[in-house]
Amino acid sequence: MEDVIKLPGTEERGPAKKRTRTPRFDPEEEEQQRRTHVKRLSALGEQDGSVKLLEELVFGAEDELLERLVEEAEVPAEASLVEDADDGSGDSEDEDEAPPASRASVWVDEDDEREEEVDMTHRYRRDLIRGEAESTMTNQKLQQRMREQFQKSMGGAPSWADKKKKKKKTTDDEEDEEDEALLRRTGNFVASSDRLLGGVLRMKKCLHANSSRPSEDRLTTVQFHPIAQVVMTAGLDQSVSLFQVDGKTNPKIQSIHLERFPVHRAQFSRDGDTVIATSLKNKMFYLYDMMEGRVTPVHTVRGLNEARVKEFSVCPEGGALLLTGTNGYLHLLTLQTKEVIRSMKINGDVVGVAFSHDGSKVFANSEDGEVYVWDMRSSRCVNRFTDEGCVKGTSIAASPNGQYLACGSQSGVVNVYSQEACLNSANPKPLKAVMNLLTSATSMTFNPSSEILAIASRDEDEAVRLVHMSSLTVFSNFPVSKRKIVYRTSCLDFSPHSGFFSLANNKGHAPLFRLLHYKDF
């Protein structure tokens, strides 16, 4: 038998199923059943007036029932066939031609239509009241009032919400508006402001600055070189290390080991050729000449009557150090002759010093919460004021542009003052009290452009904040929440052009961050 290719339309189909039809109504059979039921009831002795009344209510009178049965029988049988045909063709018809008829509600809740009174004295709705008489208001009126308040705050009803204002525009108008919107959108993405904005600081986490040689103990110092693209770290592991900063590998340049000399503080000289390092309990300190690679210990300083040399600051003019002594003494030391040329004294112990931008003044913060202003040339105290609300001072920092002075306290509050007011007023008022630290504010520094103030506490993990100076608000995205990176910070520093920010923590690491707003190192 030859193979036959069956076309899609000629495939064999099974026997068609017959459509079941409803049985035809037989009035004679219905009448016969009714009579049988009546006979059974009468046989039981229940053929009384109440039964007849019930029968008439259910089935109607005999004459009416017969008439109704005859009318139903006269319905042509072809009606069922017509209905079947309509059912088959109804699927292919377009549904849009017969719109659905609106249906009435099945039931109506009277409580929905009732105007409920709303209490307007609640604290969430007080602003919507326009008079004392409006202690209560209906729901409909309250919705209208809230809609009016929203439109007022938005400067009127938005165009997309007003159906009446929707008009057709010409093709030229639409193209012009699209071009303008594109230019605006592109401009916002491409253009960058020279002024640092608050809120969120654009930054990128880089490899640790000392990743090629992490410290085996707590880091106490991190500082960027004033000229070269180099960062220095030092810590209690008795070492000072130099790294090249590229944000990717940060290779080590050099590392020196100081025998039995855990480094408490290390700093570059003003020209960047020398590193000065002090320890915790030694009167001796080291000078490391990076050009010659020579380490020179300084065992004695002429004119210095101190048991140890621990805290110091490099003078802006260069060639001199300001040593922090005990009992409120400050000693000015020249690096050329290694001798103290003059000393200054304040009441209480010195907890921090900061130089003015030109180096002519020095601000000394005492443990008692008082700030002294000294003239470096005459060694005279030219002003003195109390840090507002401070019980015990811990740190101090001055902005490079000469505009701000920040004073830290044991409570974690950092008061930001106008530097001019601190120089001339005996009772200056802080511009802002930064209260984002919960423990002692032990470290503070400004970035070179004086746009950011970094504050930190070494008493708690992740206790570092960056303050936007123009708005005096804290950047919300640093440090990253629920992710430990910073740990306990003992030192902070910015690169010469604020391109990088780093800190020294108790884990022996120096986390490094790239500040994307600044283009240079």
Side-chain angles (χ1 to χ4, degrees):
M1 182 177 180
E2 296 181 357
D3 296 333
V4 179
I5 300 176
K6 298 180 180 180
L7 297 176
T10 61
E11 293 182 356
E12 294 182 0
R13 298 180 181 178
K17 295 182 180 180
K18 295 183 179 180
R19 192 178 283 187
T20 58
R21 295 184 179 179
T22 55
R24 297 188 61 181
F25 186 77
D26 190 357
E28 295 180 358
E29 184 179 356
E30 182 69 20
E31 177 66 18
Q32 185 65 28
Q33 289 181 359
R34 189 183 71 82
R35 291 177 180 176
T36 304
H37 294 161
V38 171
K39 290 180 180 180
R40 291 177 180 176
L41 289 175
S42 60
L44 293 175
E46 296 179 358
Q47 186 69 19
D48 52 7
S50 60
V51 175
K52 290 184 178 180
L53 179 60
L54 178 61
E55 184 180 347
E56 290 181 359
L57 292 175
V58 175
F59 300 105
E62 294 184 5
D63 298 337
E64 296 178 357
L65 179 61
L66 292 175
E67 292 179 359
R68 179 165 54 86
L69 295 176
V70 171
E71 289 177 358
E72 293 179 355
E74 292 177 354
V75 176
E78 290 79 10
S80 60
L81 297 177
V82 174
E83 290 178 358
D84 294 341
D86 293 341
D87 293 339
S89 61
D91 297 336
S92 61
E93 291 179 358
D94 190 4
E95 296 179 356
D96 296 337
E97 294 179 0
S102 59
R103 298 182 179 180
S105 302
V106 178
W107 60 281
V108 179
D109 191 353
E110 297 178 355
D111 294 336
D112 293 342
E113 298 180 352
R114 186 180 305 166
E115 293 186 354
E116 182 181 355
E117 297 290 333
V118 180
D119 183 16
M120 298 300 295
T121 59
H122 192 275
R123 60 193 180 99
Y124 290 154
R125 293 185 284 270
R126 290 175 186 170
D127 297 337
L128 300 174
I129 299 177
R130 294 180 180 175
E132 297 180 356
E134 292 184 338
S135 59
T136 60
M137 189 179 296
T138 62
N139 274 328
Q140 290 78 5
K141 190 174 181 181
L142 176 60
Q143 291 178 4
Q144 180 64 25
R145 185 67 54 84
M146 294 174 67
R147 188 178 295 108
E148 292 175 356
Q149 186 184 29
F150 171 76
Q151 294 179 0
K152 182 179 179 181
S153 62
M154 296 295 293
S159 58
W160 54 264
D162 193 352
K163 297 181 180 179
K164 296 181 180 179
K165 292 184 178 181
K166 290 184 178 180
K167 297 180 181 180
K168 293 183 179 180
K169 300 180 180 180
T170 61
T171 305
D172 296 338
D173 294 340
E174 291 178 355
E175 292 178 355
D176 293 342
E177 289 185 3
E178 289 178 359
D179 293 340
E180 292 177 2
L182 178 62
L183 292 175
R184 286 197 303 269
R185 187 163 58 250
T186 307
N188 290 338
F189 283 126
V190 174
S192 60
S193 174
D194 294 335
R195 183 171 60 89
L196 180 65
L197 302 179
V200 175
L201 180 62
R202 295 190 304 115
M203 60 194 314
K204 176 185 177 182
K205 176 69 176 68
C206 302
L207 195 66
H208 290 336
N210 64 338
S211 60
S212 57
R213 190 197 179 278
S215 176
E216 298 176 357
D217 206 332
R218 177 170 64 92
L219 279 183
T220 57
T221 296
V222 62
Q223 187 186 16
F224 289 93
H225 194 274
I227 302 173
Q229 198 163 330
V230 174
V231 66
M232 172 185 63
T233 63
L236 301 183
D237 64 344
Q238 308 174 33
S239 66
V240 177
S241 302
L242 301 175
F243 304 90
Q244 181 181 352
V245 180
D246 58 7
K248 298 178 181 179
T249 59
N250 303 325
K252 185 184 75 171
I253 299 174
Q254 194 172 9
S255 181
I256 60 173
H257 180 75
L258 305 175
E259 188 69 27
R260 292 183 296 177
F261 196 85
V263 179
H264 172 72
R265 187 174 181 84
Q267 269 194 289
F268 288 108
S269 60
R270 187 57 56 184
D271 56 8
D273 294 339
T274 307
V275 174
I276 304 102
T278 61
S279 187
L280 296 171
K281 299 180 180 180
N282 292 326
K283 186 177 181 179
M284 177 187 69
F285 62 92
Y286 281 96
L287 298 177
Y288 170 45
D289 190 330
M290 295 189 299
M291 297 294 104
E292 299 181 2
R294 184 177 67 250
V295 179
T296 304
V298 180
H299 294 280
T300 58
V301 176
R302 189 166 44 181
L304 181 63
N305 298 319
E306 296 287 348
R308 61 183 180 180
V309 176
K310 184 178 177 181
E311 297 287 348
F312 71 94
S313 298
V314 178
C315 297
E317 295 179 354
L321 303 179
L322 188 63
L323 305 179
T324 300
T326 57
N327 301 320
Y329 276 99
L330 293 171
H331 308 285
L332 188 61
L333 166 72
T334 61
L335 291 175
Q336 185 176 4
T337 60
K338 313 296 189 298
E339 65 178 345
V340 174
I341 56 177
R342 67 170 81 92
S343 297
M344 298 166 282
K345 187 182 186 304
I346 67 172
N347 297 332
D349 292 332
V350 179
V351 295
V353 296
F355 287 94
S356 61
H357 65 288
D358 57 359
S360 61
K361 304 290 189 301
V362 62
F363 301 91
N365 194 5
S366 71
E367 195 176 25
D368 300 334
E370 287 188 318
V371 180
Y372 295 79
V373 184
W374 291 85
D375 184 86
M376 291 298 295
R377 294 182 178 87
S378 61
S379 298
R380 290 189 308 106
C381 181
V382 295
N383 197 17
R384 171 183 172 184
F385 65 92
T386 301
D387 185 15
E388 187 175 273
C390 177
V391 177
K392 185 177 180 180
T394 55
S395 56
I396 192 170
S399 63
N401 65 353
Q403 186 174 358
Y404 303 107
L405 181 72
C407 300
S409 63
Q410 189 180 31
S411 63
V413 178
V414 177
N415 286 329
V416 180
Y417 295 89
S418 167
Q419 207 171 121
E420 183 179 359
C422 295
L423 291 172
N424 302 318
S425 174
N427 188 25
K429 297 297 180 182
L431 303 174
K432 176 75 173 182
V434 182
M435 301 183 181
N436 295 83
L437 295 181
L438 303 179
T439 52
S440 178
T442 54
S443 302
M444 294 191 300
T445 186
F446 285 89
N447 77 319
S449 63
S450 302
E451 295 177 300
I452 303 174
L453 168 64
I455 59 177
S457 173
R458 60 169 172 260
D459 299 329
E460 187 179 359
D461 289 344
E462 309 301 305
V464 180
R465 299 293 183 271
L466 299 179
V467 183
H468 180 243
M469 295 309 299
S470 296
S471 61
L472 293 175
T473 57
V474 174
F475 289 103
S476 60
N477 61 320
F478 186 84
V480 181
S481 60
K482 299 181 180 180
R483 184 181 176 187
K484 281 192 175 183
I485 299 176
V486 175
Y487 294 96
R488 301 194 177 191
T489 302
S490 56
C491 187
L492 307 154
D493 197 30
F494 292 90
S495 60
H497 294 93
S498 305
F500 287 90
F501 168 68
S502 185
L503 49 91
N505 64 22
N506 61 327
K507 300 296 183 180
H509 298 295
L512 183 67
F513 301 90
R514 174 73 174 94
L515 305 186
L516 302 177
H517 175 78
Y518 303 98
K519 306 303 179 184
D520 299 328
F521 176 77

